[in-house]
Amino acid sequence: MKKQLIIAALVLVVVGLVPLTSVSDYITGVLTMVCFYAVFAMSWDLLFGYAGEVNFGPSFLIGVGAYGAGLADADLGLPVAVCIAIGTLAAVLAGLLLAIPALRLRGPYFGLITLVAVLLLQDMIEIFADTTGGEIGLSVPDVLAVSAAVNFYYAFGLMVIAGAILLAVANSPFGLILQAAGQDPVEAQALGFNIVKFKVVAFAISAFFSGLAGAMLVFYLGTASVSAMVDVAVGIQVIIAAVLGGRRTIIGPVLGAAFLVGAGELLRPVGQMSGFIVAALALGVILLVPDGLLGALRGRLRA
Amino acid sequence: MLAVQILIDGFAISALYALGALGFTLIFGVSGVLNLAHGAILVTSAMVAWYVGTDSGGGAFTGAAAGVAAGVVTAFVTYGLVVRPIQRSKAIPGVERELFVLTGTLLWGVMIQILLADVFTTTPITVEQLVSGTIDIFGVRTAANEVFIAVVSWAVLGLLWLLVNRTPAGRRLLAASINPRALTLVGVELDHVHLLAWGIYGVIAGIAGVLLGSFLGTSSAYIPALTGTAFAIVVLGGLGSVSGTVIAAYVVGYLETLTAYLVSPSWRAVPALILLLAVLYFRPQGILGRR
Amino acid sequence: MRLFLLCSRAPPLPPLLRLPALTLHRSWSASPHRWRPFGAAIANGAKLAVADINAKGGVDGRPLQLVIEDDQASSASAVSSFQRMVKQDHVVAVVGNWISEVALALEPWATRLHEPYLITGAASNDISAYVHKDYAERKYTFHAYFPSAFLAAGVCAASHDVLSTELNMKTAVIISEDAAWTKPLDTSLNQCLPDSGLQVLKEIRFAPDTTDFTPIFQQAESLNPDVIISGWAHVGVQPTVQWANQKVPLALAGINAQAGSSAFWKATNGATEGVATLNVAAPDVATTPLTIPFTNEYIKAYGVTPAYSAYTTYDAIYVLAAAIERANSTAPDAVVSALEKTDYVGTQGRLQFLGPDSQFTHALRFGPGFVTGVVIQWQNGVQKCIWPLNLANAKPEFPGFVKLPKLASAN
């Protein structure tokens, strides 16, 4: 484990230094998106890999965070940091509102509720288009920075901090109990743990980082839009990233996000079939290497 | 007059929803699989029906037949390529198997969606009606195709009921949904039962896809919404209960129609979604659910 | 929408002019209201323009190079593409986009990066309003198509000449998809239709992902108007098919963007018979001497008639090439100044851009003698032109189930 952390730290340092070299702004931009998607995927992994709950609507949390921050800026003109805080808070509150009743349920019901939440959010945004901009999106007057490198460091910083916290949570006693709740809920309850409470806390943490990343994403792109933040397709990308990278590892999803965004850019000439290829790869991983890239790597290291 | 319009339009939509959700609940009841590629199978059937019937000039009936066949083929491929391997995979811990099937079918549905978009573009197309013209029902001018769809929907339901309750194969299906292990003890090849279930599923989904395509049009972009609606209706009615699904389909269909007529067409989908949330919170097993 | 990127890959050769065009393809997504052929049309139109210009020697003797990119109907993807094209590939200008959401997301980047950006689709009024608000900073964007207000003007002019004068229609119901481009469209229609002789009885707006249009048609029918004026771009097939299948006795005219494509007949199984829509061009109608040759060239190359965005993009590339030649430079400010002096007869008509004193700064000038669009109507499987009257090659004809008002004849 320690060896893996050292390797991870080294990789991070290298990546962190990339924008300072003469590499183009475009590459820096791609790395920035990797960081955002890494945070989305890591947050998702806490729920899926550890708590054993499939969240089909990570884009609900991302969207609430994004639009919360975007509306605060466009309508209220508050400073960027305050807007981001508002967006994050909104995501956590909305997430809890959704999760607390839903996590009491067994089976696929939780997943369904998350999916319905995304659809509802999308409908609401389009119905109240006068405020939210509808399908055209909401332009925000401020951006975090115009320089590609500065934007990258914001996202990179977020990713490192979020990753560290999520990793710490996952490996803490809390994380262990969470895993137990996910893998063997009957046993865990028999041992006296209130598994619902643990899952709710996990969901809140997931909502916090998803919402925060969503809010920051708005000030990176300059717009809040359904297609970039709320659409079911965004959620599917997050799921693909986490599954490809390796569930129940926290770090794996980072690899998955890098692969996802990188492959998307490299496969650009193929047009929309790039999505097909990525989805097919993810399906292949599920069928043949369910532990994902990192899981497979770790297996090989151990053997 | 308005009341009659709502009654008729709602009935047609509900019948279509029932047909669309039926296969989904069947496959869950028998195999325990929530097939998130459901919408993809519906749209594939519709696309093939259009391609054979209109684009290649085969005519409405040939097209419809081809569409249903495509539904069956796609269902079998879904089972053989995605569902069965995951169900049997030794690398996946038993507890997570269901989650992986969910995710696997989700990805498979995405693949089909992109493939269809690449081949047919996302332009919506309409499958040619099998029945054309209009009929006057209590003063409301109704497209004959809508009446046809309602008739077919109930015919399929009736046939399914007959199959499950009156034939040996059907009774095995029913038994498999209640207690698969007991069935193996009696010497029944579960594999054959599953194949039968997916085959029936393919036929129903194929018919639903073709009819949906003739009334509401179809496009690869509709796939997520179609899966979502089927999923919602099935959960509302009670996972695994066919009668529950039918009742829920009519509830959702009429709720949407009433909203479109009396509130605003923009708000059409909202009340049903809210109802679903409410049911999930207060009565998660749905209207007639068993589990 | 397509993103065209022109990028040079051969350093030893003299520098090529790069013109990126942003193309928006439809990628898989949960929202059904986008249509890939408009994007493909942008790419194809640009390809033809570049081929034609290079065949005649290029711009100042230098060939144009075109790179096509698909931004997958996503603002995020488009912004990423845009940045790469400007910063890495050093393109001279960006052309494309037919979705307002994406175009609006890119305008601030065109401003920040000082990159000439010609939008050849999308109808939101906000596109040119954005430029008008801070002209000095934002002058790099040109809306090489019409804002909704001008589309409405076209519909009203046609309604006056054909629906009101020729067919004696007096009342209309507006049915529009609830999208950003139709809000200003409906506002403008509400103002100009009465002046054209059509009283607006009601305005109905529906969610763009509506699939059952029965309640909408029944609501319209209950008011007994002579015609439905449509504002449809994201939808087209369903409402048209259901209008025909349910035999709604109201004429269907206005804007039905998808009906402008030759593939629409098959997509609707012929239900589009009698449907009229404002379009950029009509088959076999010489809006200008360039229209028909371009249409034929396009059909020969791609097997389908060009969608509206093909015409606009083809013209936009020519306009850009002319501007570069006029400016004798590819520096952004020089190109922008030259673009503002555009006075070019393209395939759509005579193109000029409006100036900073108009609220639609840098949009195309609308009006007779400039660009107005044409109205096509599907008759027996073929698109016929029924307006402007001096270009029309057919009289309006409607299916039997449509009830037309009695004509005010002298006998």
Side-chain angles (χ1 to χ4, degrees), chain B residues 16-32:
Chain B
L16 211 49
Y17 280 165
L19 204 57
L22 199 59
F24 194 81
T25 205
L26 187 73
I27 211 63
F28 177 78
V30 176
S31 303

Side-chain angles (χ1 to χ4, degrees), chain A residues 126-262:
Chain A
E126 304 211 348
I127 288 177
F128 294 109
D130 284 334
T131 322
T132 66
E135 89 278 7
I136 251 192
L138 183 72
S139 275
V140 289
D142 300 305
V143 279
L144 275 173
V146 181
S147 147
V150 175
N151 273 318
F152 169 76
Y153 283 117
Y154 274 120
F156 185 71
L158 172 69
M159 181 182 79
V160 169
I161 295 175
I165 295 180
L166 285 166
L167 209 54
V169 167
N171 289 316
S172 69
F174 171 84
L176 286 172
I177 300 172
L178 196 65
Q179 269 192 73
Q183 305 276 288
D184 203 343
V186 180
E187 181 78 29
Q189 267 182 317
L191 286 171
F193 292 111
N194 183 349
I195 57 172
V196 175
K197 198 167 75 170
F198 277 84
K199 289 190 181 182
V200 169
V201 174
F203 195 85
I205 299 175
S206 179
F208 177 80
F209 285 113
S210 301
L212 177 59
M216 287 180 66
L217 187 62
V218 173
F219 293 106
Y220 171 60
L221 292 176
T223 28
S225 72
V226 169
S227 65
M229 285 141 192
V230 181
D231 204 289
V232 174
V234 173
I236 293 181
Q237 301 262 307
V238 172
I239 294 174
I240 290 180
V243 165
L244 265 178
R247 74 196 188 294
R248 211 178 299 126
T249 60
I250 301 289
I251 302 181
V254 178
L255 291 176
F259 181 81
L260 183 75
V261 176

Side-chain angles (χ1 to χ4, degrees), chain C residues 154-172:
Chain C
V155 170
C156 286
S159 299
H160 172 267
D161 292 348
V162 178
L163 300 177
S164 177
T165 309
E166 212 175 305
L167 294 171
N168 205 25
M169 292 186 178
K170 300 239 184 313
T171 53

Side-chain angles (χ1 to χ4, degrees), chain C residues 234-259:
Chain C
H234 296 151
V235 299
V237 171
Q238 275 86 297
T240 306
V241 167
Q242 289 176 21
W243 167 80
N245 287 356
Q246 292 165 22
K247 300 205 198 301
V248 181
L250 314 172
L252 191 51
I255 297 179
N256 187 346
Q258 295 178 19

